[in-house]
Amino acid sequence: MTENTTRQHGRSRRLARVRTLPPWSLLAAGVVTGGLLGAAYGALHPPVYTATAYVVAVPTEKSDPASALGFAQAYGRVATQLAVLGDAQVWAGVPAATLQRDVQTATSPDAPMVAVTASSDRADVAADMANAVSRALTQYAAHSQGATNVRLQQFARAVEPSGPSSASPAVTGLVGASAGGLLGGLVLLVRPGRAREEGPGRPAAVPGPAVAADAHGAL
């Protein structure tokens, strides 16, 4: 019984100390905690490097630019299929599953061009994967050039990136601090107000029974 009472008193004292903290302290704690967590994530997470190669669809004498534009979009959609990645995995030195996961393609509705972008934790591997997939895609298109009357040719090779494309610890720290400050502000908005402390006061007087005024006169 005494132990439970002591625990309850200790919990009450801790809650009382929390309630006495100024409102801005919760906001500051959220900013500091979020900044530390964000900076730690940026420092511990491995950097990511990104490299991009470009191939362009060129119409033959039997085709037109509109057809080249349509086939460029089609080749962009099949660039990460296993039928294309069979040779690319050999040239890049990574499994086809890695290429499917870390290589993305993008096309433009205005230009018959395919952008092949690869990401890796190593700059040289990112460039090798982008160049390998773009080369494999041009060879895949060459096999069907007689039917499509469109050929793919390399427009720009991927170069080894000079720096990571992922956010630095400073940036992730700022993002974490902003998120922590926002969370602290939301907690302040929904936190109930402090309970008003009232000292011992005089008990309210209970009105006595009303006496009839002479019972409306003498009976």
Side-chain angles (χ1 to χ4, degrees):
M1 182 68 180
T2 304
E3 184 179 356
N4 293 336
T5 304
T6 303
R7 290 179 179 176
Q8 291 178 358
H9 285 308
R11 189 179 301 111
S12 300
R13 286 193 297 268
R14 288 192 296 269
L15 290 176
R17 286 195 296 267
V18 171
R19 289 175 180 173
T20 57
L21 293 175
W24 60 264
S25 63
L26 184 59
L27 184 62
V31 171
V32 173
T33 303
L36 292 176
L37 291 177
Y41 173 81
L44 298 177
H45 193 271
V48 177
Y49 297 89
T50 302
T52 304
Y54 297 91
V55 295
V56 62
V58 180
T60 63
E61 297 178 355
K62 299 180 180 180
S63 184
D64 53 35
S67 298
L69 180 61
F71 277 108
Q73 296 177 356
Y75 285 131
R77 287 191 289 268
V78 302
T80 55
Q81 301 298 319
L82 291 177
V84 179
L85 299 180
D87 292 332
Q89 64 179 343
V90 178
W91 297 329
V94 297
T98 301
L99 295 175
Q100 286 184 314
R101 184 187 68 241
D102 297 333
V103 175
Q104 292 82 33
T105 59
T107 57
S108 171
D110 302 321
M113 187 173 294
V114 182
V116 181
T117 302
S119 300
S120 176
D121 56 355
R122 290 176 50 186
D124 57 337
V125 174
D128 290 343
M129 289 195 301
N131 289 325
V133 174
S134 63
R135 178 183 174 187
L137 185 61
T138 57
Q139 291 192 358
Y140 177 82
H143 294 323
S144 56
Q145 179 177 336
T148 62
N149 294 318
V150 172
R151 73 176 185 274
L152 286 182
Q153 64 183 29
Q154 192 173 59
F155 183 79
R157 287 180 55 84
V159 297
E160 186 175 330
S162 58
S165 58
S166 56
S168 63
V171 175
T172 56
L174 288 176
V175 174
S178 300
L182 178 60
L183 183 59
L186 292 176
V187 172
L188 286 178
L189 290 177
V190 301
R191 188 183 66 167
R194 296 180 180 177
R196 296 181 179 178
E197 297 181 358
E198 298 181 355
R202 183 178 299 175
V206 179
V211 180
D214 297 332
H216 296 288
L219 294 179

